[in-house]
Structure formats: structure tokens, C-alpha cells
Amino acid sequence: MPFDGNRWGKRKMVGYRELLDRLASTYGAENIQTLPLESNHTAKGYKINGYKGKFGFITSMTHSFCSSCNRVRVMADGNLKVCLFGNTEVSLRDLLRAGCSDEEIIQTIGSAVKRKKQAHAGLDILSQMPNRPMIKIGG
């Protein structure tokens, strides 16, 4: 995924459909079972008949799920990030240090979530946007 410092490139990306095709050629398409998609889930889940375990693909780069994403992150520095690919952050730390009430903090979080976009920018734009490296975002 395109984050600062990771040398991401669209040419390096392998989409989940291509990976599924590779698995189907090895195990047979009839043996790859699609697992039920859970509400607000980020991964498309699968299992291969005859094998234990399951696997999934987080398809944020090829098949966006932004409109159903209900996740936010509070990072170690106290900033709230409502979209992993967005570069907008809200400092909860500053609100806490300023002595804001719980209600003010709740309103700030609510406002940030309401400003969350329906979809992130396209691949070409994302790769050019400044964004913290994943190691600094957490997760």
C-alpha cells in the first residue's frame, strides 16, 4: 500500500483476483470456497476444501470498501485518523491536554468521522499523497 518510505509502485501490486486465479489453477476453482462477507469487514475470506484454515485478502487498493468501513485509529501520538489512506488527522492529545470535556472530545471525534470520505483517492493519486509510514500509524 502506498505509504511514505515504502517504495510502493502500482507495477509491483498483485490484485486479489490474480492471486485467486493462481490458487484456482493449483487447487481447482471448484475447491476454493468464498466465505460469507461480514458487515463492515475489511477482508474477503476464502478456504480451500480439504485443507484446514482460511485466508483472506484486504482489497483496499483494487476493490475499495471505503463506504462500509467503520474503522478509525488512535495513534501513539494521540492523533485520530479516520482513514488509513487519508492524511488528515485530529489531535485528541491536544484536546485532553487543554482540559476539554468528554462531550467536546466526543463531538470532535463525531465531526471527524462525519467528514470521512466515501472513497479514498485513486491509486495514482494515493502514491503521490504524503502519508505517514505504516510503522508510524500502527497496525
Side-chain angles (χ1 to χ4, degrees):
M1 296 188 292
F3 293 100
D4 286 354
N6 73 353
R7 297 187 208 137
W8 186 87
K10 191 175 177 181
R11 292 187 330 259
K12 297 178 190 176
M13 185 183 68
V14 179
Y16 92 101
R17 293 250 186 234
E18 182 180 340
L19 292 171
L20 273 179
D21 289 346
R22 290 181 188 183
L23 290 167
S25 69
T26 301
Y27 298 100
E30 69 281 359
N31 289 315
I32 299 176
Q33 179 184 346
T34 302
L35 300 176
L37 190 60
E38 297 177 33
S39 178
N40 303 106
H41 213 253
T42 58
K44 294 174 179 10
Y46 299 89
K47 73 180 292 311
I48 298 174
N49 294 332
Y51 290 86
K52 292 182 180 181
K54 57 185 177 178
F55 60 95
F57 299 103
I58 299 175
T59 62
S60 55
M61 301 311 300
T62 56
H63 292 81
S64 170
F65 49 81
C66 299
S67 63
S68 65
C69 179
N70 65 352
R71 287 161 171 76
V72 297
R73 289 178 190 244
V74 178
M75 297 176 288
D77 64 2
N79 280 0
L80 175 73
K81 194 170 186 69
V82 297
C83 176
L84 189 59
F85 296 114
N87 52 13
T88 303
E89 300 175 5
V90 175
S91 178
L92 300 179
R93 175 198 61 220
D94 291 349
L95 296 175
L96 290 166
R97 286 182 177 168
C100 291
S101 69
D102 289 352
E103 186 58 37
E104 289 171 303
I105 294 170
I106 290 168
Q107 286 178 357
T108 300
I109 293 170
S111 294
V113 170
K114 287 176 186 170
R115 288 190 306 270
K116 189 173 179 174
K117 297 178 181 171
Q118 279 294 105
H120 61 65
L123 295 179
D124 295 327
I125 295 170
L126 277 177
S127 64
Q128 303 303 313
M129 287 174 52
N131 197 358
R132 292 184 192 217
M134 194 63 185
I135 194 169
K136 290 185 179 179
I137 294 172

